[in-house]
Amino acid sequence: MKVVANLPYGIAATVILRTVEELPGVGDWLVMVQPQVGERFAAAPGSSAYGVPSVLAQLACEVKVLRPISRTVFRPVPNVDSVLLGLRRTGPGADPDLSALVHGAFAHRRKALAGSLALAGGSGPDVRERTRAALTELGHPADERAERLAPQEFRELARRISR
């Protein structure tokens, strides 16, 4: 099963992430989105565009910006260029607990990951200490920020925190 769409720009990220999560039978996506949305989905750890959409999509899929599409190919000409974004499923989407952890990790981008999760709440009273210990076990500094972890490291972090 495939998803092929020219998505309204205001809902593109939500639609992509919901289909990755809720439609496990979909193996491929080919969607036209704004360049910034495509960059966020395909962003690598450590880049300024890396965040929740990057992690959640890349946990389940290989994500690539396939090509730019100029606004001049449309009539009437819109005010924005586009890109074709391709996703190919490589595994299951994030479960609700992992998704909540990723959202909490990026909720306070200027904070260390452990502090951001503590501020986001919902992971227990000692989440800061458990996160710092888990980060160290994963080979990261205890005060690492969320944007430095690869998508699969979030899955492992969630597993270690929940022990």
Side-chain angles (χ1 to χ4, degrees), residues 10-150:
I11 64 167
T14 301
V15 168
I16 294 167
L17 291 174
R18 285 196 60 188
T19 59
V20 167
E21 176 186 320
E22 296 176 12
L23 300 175
V26 173
D28 293 289
W29 289 255
L30 180 64
V31 293
M32 188 162 53
V33 295
Q34 281 181 293
Q36 298 86 345
V37 173
E39 290 168 12
R40 283 189 199 109
F41 273 87
S47 69
S48 62
Y50 188 70
V52 172
S54 316
V55 173
L56 294 179
Q58 292 174 33
L59 278 167
C61 301
E62 177 186 334
V63 181
K64 291 183 181 177
V65 174
L66 301 173
R67 59 170 277 172
I69 300 175
S70 173
R71 66 185 79 189
T72 61
V73 302
F74 300 101
R75 297 286 177 252
V77 177
N79 292 328
V80 65
D81 290 318
S82 300
V83 296
L84 275 181
L85 182 67
L87 294 89
R88 173 153 290 156
R89 188 174 296 277
T90 57
D95 62 50
D97 290 337
L98 177 55
S99 181
L101 179 127
V102 171
H103 281 278
F106 285 95
H108 304 277
R109 284 188 79 99
R110 301 272 184 236
K111 300 265 183 212
L113 194 152
S116 186
L117 288 177
L119 288 170
S123 296
D126 62 342
V127 67
R128 186 183 310 259
E129 293 77 25
R130 286 183 290 135
T131 301
R132 291 174 63 83
L135 284 168
T136 303
E137 291 171 9
L138 290 170
H140 287 276
D143 62 348
E144 190 71 276
R145 292 184 183 206
E147 59 266 18
R148 307 301 297 176
L149 271 69

